[in-house]
Amino acid sequence: MNPPAPVSTEVSSGAVTQFAVLDALLAGVYESGLPVGTALGHGDFGIGCCDRLGGEVVILDGVAYACTVDAPPHVMADTDILPFADVCVEPSAAPTPTGPADLTGLTSLVEAAVVSRNLFHSVRVDGLFRSVRVRATRREHFPLRPLADVAGEQVETVLTDVAGTLVGFWAPSIYQGIAVAGLHVHFLSADRRAGGHVLDLAVQDAALRVGAFARFTLLLPTDPAFLAAELTHDDDHRIVAVEGGAAPEPDAQR
Protein backbone atom coordinates (compact mmCIF):
# COMPACT_ATOMS: atom_id res chain seq x y z
CA MET A 1 0.00 0.00 0.00
CA ASN A 2 1.33 3.42 -0.92
CA PRO A 3 1.59 6.02 1.88
CA PRO A 4 -1.09 8.74 1.84
CA ALA A 5 -0.29 11.89 -0.08
CA PRO A 6 0.76 14.83 2.09
CA VAL A 7 -1.92 17.35 2.99
CA SER A 8 -1.83 20.38 0.72
CA THR A 9 -0.21 23.46 2.22
CA GLU A 10 -3.24 25.34 0.87
CA VAL A 11 -5.40 23.81 3.62
CA SER A 12 -5.89 26.02 6.68
CA SER A 13 -4.80 24.68 10.06
CA GLY A 14 -7.98 26.16 11.55
CA ALA A 15 -11.54 24.89 11.56
CA VAL A 16 -14.98 25.86 10.37
CA THR A 17 -17.11 25.88 13.52
CA GLN A 18 -20.86 25.46 13.15
CA PHE A 19 -23.61 25.78 15.72
CA ALA A 20 -26.76 23.66 15.17
CA VAL A 21 -27.79 21.85 11.99
CA LEU A 22 -29.89 23.07 9.09
CA ASP A 23 -32.39 20.25 9.40
CA ALA A 24 -33.28 21.54 12.88
CA LEU A 25 -34.28 24.90 11.39
CA LEU A 26 -36.29 23.10 8.73
CA ALA A 27 -38.12 21.28 11.51
CA GLY A 28 -38.85 24.49 13.44
CA VAL A 29 -36.35 23.66 16.20
CA TYR A 30 -34.38 26.83 16.94
CA GLU A 31 -35.34 27.96 20.42
CA SER A 32 -31.77 28.45 21.67
CA GLY A 33 -28.54 29.66 20.14
CA LEU A 34 -24.93 30.66 20.40
CA PRO A 35 -24.12 34.12 21.80
CA VAL A 36 -22.40 36.37 19.26
CA GLY A 37 -19.46 36.87 21.62
CA THR A 38 -18.91 33.12 21.78
CA ALA A 39 -19.18 32.81 18.00
CA LEU A 40 -16.55 35.52 17.53
CA GLY A 41 -14.29 33.52 19.81
CA HIS A 42 -14.21 30.91 17.02
CA GLY A 43 -13.35 33.29 14.20
CA ASP A 44 -13.67 36.62 12.43
CA PHE A 45 -15.55 35.49 9.31
CA GLY A 46 -18.90 33.78 8.90
CA ILE A 47 -22.64 33.72 8.40
CA GLY A 48 -25.71 32.84 10.44
CA CYS A 49 -29.22 33.86 11.33
CA CYS A 50 -30.66 36.06 14.05
CA ASP A 51 -32.65 34.89 17.06
CA ARG A 52 -35.88 33.16 16.00
CA LEU A 53 -34.87 33.68 12.34
CA GLY A 54 -35.34 37.44 12.69
CA GLY A 55 -32.75 38.35 10.07
CA GLU A 56 -29.54 37.22 8.39
CA VAL A 57 -26.07 37.57 9.89
CA VAL A 58 -22.77 38.51 8.25
CA ILE A 59 -19.53 38.21 10.23
CA LEU A 60 -16.86 40.21 8.43
CA ASP A 61 -13.45 41.31 9.70
CA GLY A 62 -14.39 40.32 13.24
CA VAL A 63 -17.68 42.23 13.38
CA ALA A 64 -21.14 40.61 13.37
CA TYR A 65 -23.87 42.46 11.46
CA ALA A 66 -27.59 41.71 11.62
CA CYS A 67 -29.47 42.28 8.36
CA THR A 68 -33.15 42.63 9.24
CA VAL A 69 -36.33 43.50 7.37
CA ASP A 70 -37.06 46.81 9.08
CA ALA A 71 -33.73 48.65 9.35
CA PRO A 72 -30.25 48.88 7.83
CA PRO A 73 -27.71 46.31 9.08
CA HIS A 74 -26.50 46.94 12.61
CA VAL A 75 -23.59 45.71 14.71
CA MET A 76 -24.74 42.93 17.00
CA ALA A 77 -24.12 42.81 20.74
CA ASP A 78 -22.06 39.99 22.21
CA THR A 79 -25.18 38.76 24.00
CA ASP A 80 -27.31 38.51 20.84
CA ILE A 81 -28.24 34.93 19.94
CA LEU A 82 -27.45 32.98 16.77
CA PRO A 83 -29.63 29.86 16.39
CA PHE A 84 -27.43 28.79 13.46
CA ALA A 85 -23.95 29.98 12.51
CA ASP A 86 -20.83 29.03 10.55
CA VAL A 87 -17.63 30.81 11.53
CA CYS A 88 -13.89 30.52 10.96
CA VAL A 89 -10.68 32.49 11.15
CA GLU A 90 -10.46 33.82 7.62
CA PRO A 91 -7.40 32.30 5.95
CA SER A 92 -4.98 34.33 3.88
CA ALA A 93 -5.83 33.53 0.27
CA ALA A 94 -4.63 35.13 -2.94
CA PRO A 95 -7.41 37.04 -4.74
CA THR A 96 -8.60 35.89 -8.16
CA PRO A 97 -10.44 38.34 -10.42
CA THR A 98 -13.95 37.19 -11.29
CA GLY A 99 -14.86 39.41 -14.19
CA PRO A 100 -18.59 39.66 -14.96
CA ALA A 101 -20.51 36.64 -13.64
CA ASP A 102 -23.97 35.56 -12.58
CA LEU A 103 -24.56 33.29 -9.59
CA THR A 104 -24.06 30.15 -11.66
CA GLY A 105 -20.83 31.51 -13.09
CA LEU A 106 -19.56 32.56 -9.68
CA THR A 107 -20.36 29.10 -8.30
CA SER A 108 -18.32 27.58 -11.12
CA LEU A 109 -15.38 29.87 -10.28
CA VAL A 110 -15.58 28.83 -6.62
CA GLU A 111 -15.75 25.14 -7.49
CA ALA A 112 -12.76 25.50 -9.80
CA ALA A 113 -10.81 26.96 -6.87
CA VAL A 114 -11.66 24.37 -4.21
CA VAL A 115 -8.77 22.19 -3.05
CA SER A 116 -11.04 19.15 -2.73
CA ARG A 117 -14.78 18.59 -3.02
CA ASN A 118 -14.53 16.74 0.31
CA LEU A 119 -13.37 19.79 2.29
CA PHE A 120 -15.15 22.87 3.60
CA HIS A 121 -14.13 26.19 2.04
CA SER A 122 -14.57 29.80 3.07
CA VAL A 123 -15.65 32.10 0.24
CA ARG A 124 -15.16 35.86 0.13
CA VAL A 125 -15.89 38.11 -2.85
CA ASP A 126 -15.14 41.85 -2.71
CA GLY A 127 -16.10 44.15 -5.53
CA LEU A 128 -18.78 45.81 -7.61
CA PHE A 129 -22.11 44.16 -8.35
CA ARG A 130 -24.58 45.12 -11.05
CA SER A 131 -27.27 43.58 -8.87
CA VAL A 132 -27.69 41.47 -5.74
CA ARG A 133 -31.03 39.99 -4.71
CA VAL A 134 -31.07 39.43 -0.96
CA ARG A 135 -33.62 38.24 1.54
CA ALA A 136 -34.30 38.53 5.25
CA THR A 137 -37.00 36.90 7.34
CA ARG A 138 -39.12 38.32 10.15
CA ARG A 139 -38.62 37.21 13.74
CA GLU A 140 -40.81 34.29 14.69
CA HIS A 141 -42.98 33.90 17.77
CA PHE A 142 -43.97 30.72 19.55
CA PRO A 143 -44.93 28.21 18.34
CA LEU A 144 -41.93 28.39 16.00
CA ARG A 145 -42.63 27.50 12.39
CA PRO A 146 -40.40 25.45 10.08
CA LEU A 147 -37.87 27.45 8.07
CA ALA A 148 -39.63 26.76 4.77
CA ASP A 149 -42.83 28.39 6.09
CA VAL A 150 -40.90 31.39 7.40
CA ALA A 151 -39.01 31.77 4.11
CA GLY A 152 -42.32 31.73 2.27
CA GLU A 153 -42.92 35.19 3.75
CA GLN A 154 -39.37 36.46 3.31
CA VAL A 155 -38.71 40.07 2.39
CA GLU A 156 -36.63 40.39 -0.77
CA THR A 157 -34.63 43.41 -1.91
CA VAL A 158 -32.78 43.93 -5.19
CA LEU A 159 -29.69 46.09 -4.81
CA THR A 160 -28.26 47.62 -7.98
CA ASP A 161 -24.84 49.06 -8.80
CA VAL A 162 -23.56 48.35 -5.32
CA ALA A 163 -20.12 47.77 -3.86
CA GLY A 164 -19.79 45.18 -1.15
CA THR A 165 -18.69 41.77 0.04
CA LEU A 166 -20.05 38.26 -0.27
CA VAL A 167 -19.30 36.14 2.81
CA GLY A 168 -19.99 32.44 3.00
CA PHE A 169 -18.96 28.85 2.60
CA TRP A 170 -18.85 26.01 0.13
CA ALA A 171 -19.69 22.67 1.77
CA PRO A 172 -19.36 19.09 0.47
CA SER A 173 -22.46 17.25 -0.72
CA ILE A 174 -22.25 14.67 2.08
CA TYR A 175 -23.05 17.40 4.64
CA GLN A 176 -26.39 18.40 3.11
CA GLY A 177 -28.87 18.73 5.97
CA ILE A 178 -26.15 19.44 8.49
CA ALA A 179 -24.99 22.43 6.44
CA VAL A 180 -25.98 23.78 3.02
CA ALA A 181 -24.20 21.70 0.40
CA GLY A 182 -22.52 23.79 -2.27
CA LEU A 183 -22.26 27.57 -2.17
CA HIS A 184 -24.08 29.50 0.59
CA VAL A 185 -23.34 33.23 0.78
CA HIS A 186 -24.62 36.40 2.43
CA PHE A 187 -23.98 39.96 1.26
CA LEU A 188 -23.03 43.16 3.05
CA SER A 189 -22.75 46.44 1.18
CA ALA A 190 -19.57 48.50 1.56
CA ASP A 191 -21.54 51.34 3.17
CA ARG A 192 -23.10 48.83 5.61
CA ARG A 193 -26.60 49.98 4.66
CA ALA A 194 -27.90 46.78 3.05
CA GLY A 195 -27.37 43.05 3.16
CA GLY A 196 -28.87 39.62 3.59
CA HIS A 197 -28.95 36.06 2.32
CA VAL A 198 -28.09 36.00 -1.40
CA LEU A 199 -30.72 34.63 -3.76
CA ASP A 200 -29.22 35.87 -7.02
CA LEU A 201 -26.56 38.25 -8.25
CA ALA A 202 -24.68 39.73 -11.16
CA VAL A 203 -21.02 40.52 -10.52
CA GLN A 204 -19.52 43.42 -12.45
CA ASP A 205 -15.93 43.09 -11.29
CA ALA A 206 -14.67 41.55 -8.07
CA ALA A 207 -11.91 39.59 -6.33
CA LEU A 208 -12.59 36.04 -5.12
CA ARG A 209 -10.78 34.45 -2.17
CA VAL A 210 -11.30 30.77 -1.32
CA GLY A 211 -9.78 29.05 1.73
CA ALA A 212 -9.85 25.29 2.42
CA PHE A 213 -10.50 23.61 5.78
CA ALA A 214 -9.99 19.97 6.72
CA ARG A 215 -11.44 20.53 10.20
CA PHE A 216 -15.16 20.95 10.84
CA THR A 217 -16.36 21.43 14.42
CA LEU A 218 -20.08 20.96 15.12
CA LEU A 219 -21.65 22.38 18.29
CA LEU A 220 -25.18 21.16 19.00
CA PRO A 221 -27.93 22.83 21.05
CA THR A 222 -28.91 21.28 24.38
CA ASP A 223 -32.28 22.96 24.93
CA PRO A 224 -35.28 20.68 25.62
CA ALA A 225 -36.84 21.20 22.17
CA PHE A 226 -33.68 20.11 20.35
CA LEU A 227 -33.08 17.16 22.66
CA ALA A 228 -36.65 15.95 22.21
CA ALA A 229 -36.74 16.37 18.43
CA GLU A 230 -36.06 13.33 16.28
CA LEU A 231 -34.45 14.97 13.27
CA THR A 232 -34.37 13.20 9.93
CA HIS A 233 -33.10 14.26 6.54
CA ASP A 234 -35.58 13.40 3.81
CA ASP A 235 -36.01 16.12 1.20
CA ASP A 236 -32.91 17.75 -0.23
CA HIS A 237 -35.08 19.94 -2.43
CA ARG A 238 -36.31 21.81 0.67
CA ILE A 239 -32.81 23.07 1.37
CA VAL A 240 -32.12 24.00 -2.24
CA ALA A 241 -35.45 25.88 -2.39
CA VAL A 242 -34.97 27.74 0.89
CA GLU A 243 -31.21 28.27 1.16
CA GLY A 244 -29.75 27.66 -2.30
CA GLY A 245 -26.61 25.58 -2.58
CA ALA A 246 -26.49 22.32 -4.48
CA ALA A 247 -28.48 19.12 -4.38
CA PRO A 248 -26.24 16.18 -3.46
CA GLU A 249 -24.72 14.31 -6.38
CA PRO A 250 -26.37 10.95 -7.17
CA ASP A 251 -23.58 8.94 -5.55
CA ALA A 252 -24.00 10.92 -2.31
CA GLN A 253 -27.64 9.87 -2.03
CA ARG A 254 -27.02 6.13 -2.11
Side-chain angles (χ1 to χ4, degrees):
M1 177 183 288
N2 294 326
V7 175
S8 169
T9 56
E10 297 177 62
V11 177
S12 171
S13 61
V16 174
T17 298
Q18 179 173 302
F19 178 79
V21 295
L22 191 61
D23 274 339
L25 274 61
L26 290 170
V29 181
Y30 46 88
E31 287 188 10
S32 65
L34 192 70
V36 167
T38 303
L40 294 178
H42 292 284
D44 58 1
F45 180 93
I47 56 177
C49 56
C50 299
D51 186 34
R52 299 191 205 169
L53 306 187
E56 306 287 343
V57 175
V58 178
I59 300 173
L60 180 61
D61 299 329
V63 181
Y65 299 89
C67 304
T68 62
V69 300
D70 51 5
H74 65 269
V75 176
M76 303 182 76
D78 284 349
T79 53
D80 286 343
I81 295 299
L82 307 176
F84 181 91
D86 281 305
V87 64
C88 69
V89 174
E90 185 181 6
S92 176
T96 300
T98 64
D102 58 12
L103 184 55
T104 298
L106 179 63
T107 301
S108 295
L109 290 173
V110 171
E111 294 188 341
V114 302
V115 172
S116 165
R117 295 185 68 87
N118 297 322
L119 300 182
F120 282 79
H121 293 75
S122 61
V123 177
R124 175 171 179 163
V125 182
D126 296 279
L128 299 174
F129 298 81
R130 291 197 299 274
S131 65
V132 185
R133 182 161 63 97
V134 296
R135 73 107 187 271
T137 51
R138 299 185 187 279
R139 191 171 189 262
E140 284 293 289
H141 300 283
F142 292 104
L144 302 178
R145 296 184 297 166
L147 175 59
D149 293 348
V150 178
E153 300 171 3
Q154 66 192 19
V155 177
E156 299 183 14
T157 304
V158 178
L159 311 171
T160 58
D161 298 323
V162 60
T165 302
L166 298 176
V167 173
F169 294 89
W170 186 95
S173 294
I174 59 171
Y175 290 95
Q176 183 79 309
I178 295 175
V180 178
L183 183 62
H184 177 196
V185 290
H186 292 184
F187 178 76
L188 185 67
S189 64
D191 61 10
R192 305 300 191 253
R193 294 189 58 81
H197 173 93
V198 173
L199 299 171
D200 200 3
L201 58 78
V203 181
Q204 178 176 324
D205 186 37
L208 166 67
R209 292 175 172 85
V210 177
F213 293 82
R215 295 174 57 204
F216 176 65
T217 301
L218 181 60
L219 308 175
L220 294 175
T222 57
D223 62 86
F226 184 87
L227 295 179
E230 191 163 340
L231 300 176
T232 60
H233 180 68
D234 298 318
D235 300 317
D236 294 310
H237 68 84
R238 293 180 305 161
I239 296 175
V240 175
V242 173
E243 296 288 345
E249 298 168 3
D251 287 346
Q253 299 180 43
R254 294 173 185 165

